[in-house]
Amino acid sequence: MSFKTIFIITVSVLVTVVLMNNTEEINFWIFGNARIPKLAVLGVMFVLGLIIGYMAGRPAKKQLSNNYDENSYDDDDFEGNSIAKPKSNLSDEDREYIS
């Protein structure tokens, strides 16, 4: 068995033992007093901790690469602009056909 499997089994057993030994009701304030089993409070906090830990530990989303091709514009795209014109991949024959 791997370390990860042993760790998960150990944590699961410990959480079960702690939860089963804390079944009495307590006064809990949730925007007003409520009598809630300690088991429920501990269980909810454990699950929230798992969710937050998973979200914090997962890999970040990969950013999309910029597939900008500098040579993909025609001379007509920059007409009247002072921006340097990138080189065109079109031949003179292709330009005549498009015009």
Side-chain angles (χ1 to χ4, degrees):
M1 278 205 262
S2 68
F3 174 75
K4 184 177 180 180
T5 306
I6 293 171
F7 180 75
I8 291 172
I9 292 171
T10 305
V11 169
S12 299
V13 169
L14 290 175
V15 167
T16 303
V17 169
V18 169
L19 291 177
M20 291 302 117
N21 286 324
N22 290 296
T23 56
E24 64 272 358
E25 287 190 350
I26 58 169
N27 287 327
F28 195 77
W29 184 85
I30 304 176
F31 301 108
N33 286 332
R35 294 204 42 89
I36 300 176
K38 201 185 296 185
L39 170 77
V41 174
L42 290 173
V44 168
M45 292 301 141
F46 179 74
V47 170
L48 284 175
L50 286 176
I51 292 170
I52 292 170
Y54 173 76
M55 290 173 62
R58 68 181 173 173
K61 292 182 180 179
K62 294 181 181 178
Q63 291 184 358
L64 298 176
S65 63
N66 189 0
N67 291 331
Y68 174 72
D69 184 12
E70 294 179 7
N71 298 326
S72 65
Y73 293 106
D74 291 335
D75 293 339
D76 298 336
D77 293 341
F78 294 95
E79 215 171 273
N81 292 333
S82 61
I83 300 173
K85 297 178 185 176
K87 295 179 182 176
S88 177
N89 293 333
L90 298 175
S91 66
D92 291 334
E93 185 179 297
D94 290 339
R95 283 195 194 111
E96 287 177 21
Y97 180 77
I98 292 173
S99 299

